[in-house]
Amino acid sequence: MTRTDRRRFILSAAAMGASAAWSAKAAPSKVAWTERRDLYPQGVASGDPGPDSVILWTRRPAEGSSIPLTLEVAEDRDFQRVVATTQTEANAALGWTTRVLAGGLKPSTEYWYRFTDPQGAGSRIGRTLTAPAANDPRPVRFTFVSCQNVQQGAQNAYRRMTWEDERAPAGERLDFVLHLGDYIYELVFDPAISPTNYDRTNKDLVRYKTGRKIANFTIPVTVEDYRQVYEAYLLDPDLQDARARWPFVTMGDNHEFSWQGWQSIAVFGGESMPAQTIRAAANQAWFEFQPARVTKPGAGLNAFDAPKVTDTPVTAFDDHGLGTEPNNLTALATLTAYRSLRFGRHLDLILTDLHSYRSEEPTGRKGTEPFSPRPYQQFMPENVQKVLDAGRTANGGKPPATLRFGDQDVPNVCKDAPPQTILGATQKAWFLKRLKASTATWKVWGATQGVLDRRADLQNLPASFPKWPGAGYAGFGGGDHGAAYVERGEIYDFVRDHKITGFAAVSGDRHSFWAGRAAKALPPERFEPVGVAFITGSISAPGMAEALQYNMKKDDPLRPLFLVDRPDGGRPDVTANMLMRHGVASCLEYAKSRDVQKARAVRNPDNAPHLDFLDVGGHGYAHVTVTNKAMTCDFVCIPRPVTRSATPDGGPLRYRVRHEATLWAPGAEPTLRQTVLEGDPELSI
Ligand SMILES: [Fe+2]
């Protein structure tokens, strides 16, 4: 390596807040290392692998303000072939975390790493992998995950993933884990006040040093508070083992900042709260705990020089819904997390941040309540969702002043608003450019939130039901690209017009498994899929099925559309899956006969031609393989993760279902082939 290359490498590491370690000839370790996991309570991690480099991480709290550490990277687990050794420092100003960019590594190669303090007390040994070189034609394998709630659930899914990967042949192991957010849940429940949530027992996991009590939970408000959640979560043995086994690629979703928050605004009980200081604190803690190729504010390696912001109401917005209040812009600029990573010839992973730049969610605005009357409070008419989403551009730029719903004319609260954007203007331009420029076989969009429509044909309910006042299909409200029709259409038209093939969206957030095809519209409009889309169930956070089984009253008139009681008294069958896949007639037939075949025979094929699979009660992970010819996505579903599994395999599986897309020709429509590999997915098909 020339002096200039080396200097450039050190500078690029420094921009990520990382020390640099450069690979040299392999030699046995000269460091006296004794494993002391107690001194590195959050273990080790690696992130954002490239073909010749990867970021390595640990946390080592100490007395004073800093502690020097030695990092070693080796080609073997016994550190007899150490290829890089460097000095770094864990610093109080970064929550005692430290990161090193290890470079000069070989592509698609397994490495081991460990940190050691001046007394010889060492971290656990981590394993990591570099990415395949950009021209490498071999398959790439990864899992994608989201939504781990350590206060309320068990991380058995990671143990299952580890168990399977350890037993996989060398050429078939995972290259990395993609974490699509809700890595933490910032809302913390006090078990003395709220001992349980559905099937779950709230653990006494975190008590914020500062915090703010809202209703029956507490939120973090300082960087120390956010650090407390990451520190507590990473004590989970299964999560920690996963982080020590694979490089992670992570993108935050909403809970890394605030449950219903957007930009630097927090929302509780429908009330907005300026939260610039909270956004900046959340971004800093994310930076500290996620080894990722992002830049941090300030030049020094050992501080996150967060600019000072004050909590100021955000009242003025530009044409893309971005709040122009200076503290808002400053707080958001503390972390730019959207980025792309290349893995061999077949995978470009394009990751987007769906909460930092999004405009206000239109279907949640004050004044939209009349569209969700009892007993249809879960629904909102699809045609109304579309008008609200389009804002002032609805109806060719002549938005209606009111919207007809049953016998009411409801004021259109979005008639002066810009059309909804979830990406924001700058990120969207970047995203489309990356998509177009990609030369990989598969262009995988890491969209933390789902892109598939959720709807039901309530217009087909029999007269025995309370009258649904909507004129057509019912949606389930907005929040993600499943109901961001304008922006989704813009992206998919771009994919179609540029004849981009191998386009796939992978998401989390919905706490449910979904497989289907990415299309901008559904019948009665033209259904023209331009890609495939998969959403993974949560690692452990409770989902819709669990909530329904607790909350839905036996005498709710809509109960058969969501749940059907079993004669054996077991957990009710989840017809909600059938409702969104096949429509109301299938649910009602199933409620009558409990015969799946008969129920599917009366399906409404126009309700969801985009969907092949849906399980709102599924937990686990999704395992993807991409090759020159195909993309497969296996949903690996575990039982409800209420308590930690007692067995080393992480417990039994409910099912493993594969969806496979063969690479389609430019201009052709993708299709999915489904195979149940094991277990029973019940009403999900
Ligand atoms: Fe979540």
Side-chain angles (χ1 to χ4, degrees):
M1 180 185 217
T2 66
R3 198 166 283 202
T4 332
D5 288 345
R6 190 175 180 84
R7 193 175 139 71
R8 198 175 298 141
F9 177 72
I10 291 168
L11 284 175
S12 75
M16 298 171 209
S19 315
W22 190 259
S23 175
K25 197 163 169 301
S29 171
K30 294 194 195 68
V31 177
W33 167 90
T34 307
E35 188 177 273
R36 285 288 304 274
R37 292 195 186 201
D38 56 318
L39 297 178
Y40 300 79
Q42 283 72 31
V44 295
S46 65
D48 281 14
D52 63 354
S53 63
V54 61
I55 309 179
L56 308 172
W57 176 98
T58 195
R59 179 171 180 274
R60 169 66 170 95
E63 298 292 321
S65 61
S66 70
I67 180 169
L69 296 171
T70 303
L71 164 81
E72 295 172 282
V73 183
E75 290 173 345
D76 64 325
R77 202 189 290 265
D78 298 323
F79 288 78
Q80 291 304 301
R81 296 197 308 277
V82 174
V83 294
T85 305
T86 198
Q87 299 302 311
T88 184
E89 184 177 297
N91 202 290
L94 289 171
W96 296 105
T97 64
T98 189
R99 73 214 59 234
V100 178
L101 181 68
L105 305 176
K106 288 179 263 184
S108 222
T109 302
E110 188 176 45
Y111 289 96
W112 281 266
Y113 62 97
R114 65 189 185 191
F115 294 85
T116 310
D117 75 12
Q119 278 70 48
S123 70
R124 65 183 292 173
I125 292 170
R127 168 187 178 269
T128 192
L129 299 152
T130 46
N135 60 357
D136 190 329
R138 284 176 295 180
V140 178
R141 293 179 175 82
F142 67 95
T143 60
F144 63 98
V145 298
S146 76
C147 301
Q148 56 205 23
N149 191 325
V150 174
Q151 184 177 28
Q152 299 187 335
Q155 318 320 306
N156 298 333
Y158 281 125
R159 188 119 55 97
R160 162 59 65 165
M161 201 190 292
T162 303
W163 170 269
E164 294 199 358
D165 198 53
E166 283 173 348
R167 280 153 189 78
E172 293 177 23
R173 294 184 194 139
L174 295 174
D175 290 290
F176 65 98
V177 175
L178 170 62
H179 199 299
L180 291 165
D182 292 359
Y183 198 98
I184 56 160
Y185 281 80
E186 91 296 0
L187 310 176
V188 169
F189 295 89
D190 178 348
I193 299 164
S194 306
T196 60
N197 181 36
Y198 311 135
D199 262 355
R200 320 306 181 92
T201 300
N202 283 325
K203 297 180 196 119
D204 194 359
L205 195 74
V206 176
R207 294 184 186 194
Y208 291 126
K209 284 184 198 128
T210 309
R212 187 177 304 162
K213 194 157 179 332
I214 310 249
N216 62 339
F217 53 83
T218 306
I219 58 161
V221 294
T222 63
V223 68
E224 288 79 14
D225 291 344
Y226 278 99
R227 286 171 180 160
Q228 282 184 271
V229 201
Y230 286 98
E231 286 167 25
Y233 270 48
L234 291 173
L235 296 177
D236 181 275
D238 298 312
L239 170 58
Q240 198 185 113
D241 285 352
R243 243 163 91 105
R245 179 168 176 79
W246 301 285
F248 271 56
V249 176
T250 60
M251 175 58 81
D253 196 43
N254 54 326
H255 284 287
E256 278 84 350
F257 162 51
S258 180
W259 173 33
Q260 294 179 320
W262 56 290
Q263 297 183 29
S264 65
I265 301 164
V267 182
F268 295 105
E271 295 301 323
S272 292
M273 183 175 97
Q276 287 88 341
T277 56
I278 297 178
R279 167 58 85 175
N283 284 357
Q284 178 170 345
W286 188 92
F287 171 83
E288 290 173 349
F289 284 84
Q290 302 291 12
R293 290 178 194 262
V294 296
T295 55
K296 67 164 190 64
L301 281 191
N302 295 317
F304 186 96
D305 296 327
K308 193 149 172 49
V309 288
T310 55
D311 294 330
T312 311
V314 181
T315 52
F317 298 89
D318 71 10
D319 283 350
H320 305 282
L322 181 66
T324 51
E325 194 284 318
N327 290 278
N328 181 49
L329 298 173
T330 304
L332 298 178
T334 55
L335 180 69
T336 304
Y338 58 86
R339 62 199 191 278
S340 66
L341 290 99
R342 177 75 183 245
F343 293 87
R345 189 175 288 178
H346 302 308
L347 176 62
D348 249 330
L349 179 62
I350 310 175
L351 285 170
T352 54
D353 172 347
L354 303 186
H355 294 277
S356 294
Y357 316 107
R358 64 153 305 134
S359 56
E360 184 175 6
E361 203 286 293
T363 67
R365 288 193 187 211
K366 282 189 182 141
T368 58
E369 303 81 6
F371 298 115
S372 305
R374 291 194 166 275
Y376 296 102
Q377 64 274 15
Q378 303 217 36
F379 300 94
M380 180 175 274
E382 190 182 51
N383 64 327
V384 168
Q385 291 183 175
K386 286 185 177 174
V387 173
L388 296 173
D389 171 66
R392 62 186 177 226
T393 68
N395 189 34
K398 296 193 180 68
T402 59
L403 290 156
R404 190 80 184 156
F405 184 58
D407 54 8
Q408 299 179 72
D409 287 306
V410 182
N412 173 8
V413 294
C414 292
K415 72 176 170 37
D416 300 317
Q420 178 181 202
T421 171
I422 295 180
L423 292 167
T426 307
Q427 180 177 220
K428 184 157 50 190
W430 169 86
F431 175 64
L432 296 178
K433 202 170 136 194
R434 287 293 317 139
L435 260 184
K436 192 177 161 201
S438 174
T439 55
T441 312
W442 295 91
K443 295 93 186 162
V444 173
W445 176 17
T448 61
Q449 299 184 292
V451 301
L452 294 165
D453 294 70
R454 295 179 267 209
R455 70 173 189 177
D457 56 348
L458 297 189
Q459 73 275 27
N460 294 336
L461 277 171
S464 56
F465 275 75
K467 176 91 182 102
W468 154 248
Y473 283 94
F476 285 75
D480 59 27
H481 278 102
Y485 307 99
V486 171
E487 182 163 276
R488 191 178 68 180
E490 196 184 331
I491 296 165
Y492 294 176
D493 284 351
F494 184 91
V495 170
R496 182 196 59 202
D497 295 347
H498 290 85
K499 299 212 170 359
I500 293 168
T501 64
F503 172 65
V506 299
S507 308
D509 173 60
R510 288 193 188 172
H511 302 193
S512 43
F513 284 110
W514 303 61
R517 288 178 292 166
K520 71 172 180 178
L522 298 178
E525 290 182 57
R526 240 173 103 88
F527 173 61
E528 285 183 312
V530 298
V532 293
F534 303 103
I535 303 171
T536 185
S538 74
I539 287 277
S540 54
M544 183 184 186
E546 192 172 338
L548 287 168
Q549 286 163 352
Y550 270 78
N551 293 339
M552 195 150 211
K553 300 272 187 305
K554 292 269 184 193
D555 60 354
D556 189 312
L558 303 191
R559 190 171 167 92
L561 304 183
F562 292 90
L563 296 173
V564 169
D565 292 308
R566 299 167 68 108
D568 64 5
R571 269 184 202 151
D573 290 332
V574 184
T575 39
N577 295 329
M578 213 166 229
L579 175 68
M580 287 181 257
R581 275 273 277 130
H582 303 305
V584 297
S586 292
C587 296
L588 299 180
E589 175 54 46
Y590 186 81
K592 200 165 64 188
S593 64
R594 294 195 69 253
D595 182 327
V596 186
Q597 299 308 330
K598 268 175 134 171
R600 286 184 196 142
V602 294
R603 69 191 292 259
N604 169 7
D606 281 352
N607 188 68
H610 64 309
L611 284 187
D612 291 78
F613 187 92
L614 169 59
D615 182 3
V616 299
H619 301 275
Y621 56 92
H623 182 292
V624 173
T625 305
V626 292
T627 70
N628 61 333
K629 290 194 187 75
M631 173 174 182
T632 59
C633 178
D634 296 354
F635 290 155
V636 183
C637 179
I638 60 166
R640 193 169 290 171
V642 176
T643 50
R644 188 163 184 240
S645 161
T647 56
D649 62 0
L653 291 190
R654 271 185 59 210
Y655 57 78
R656 188 191 314 262
V657 176
R658 170 166 298 174
H659 292 92
E660 177 166 5
T662 304
L663 185 67
W664 54 96
E669 280 190 4
T671 54
L672 284 178
R673 195 168 70 243
Q674 184 177 69
T675 318
V676 178
L677 298 172
E678 68 181 284
D680 181 5
E682 299 168 4
L683 304 186
S684 295
I685 291 173

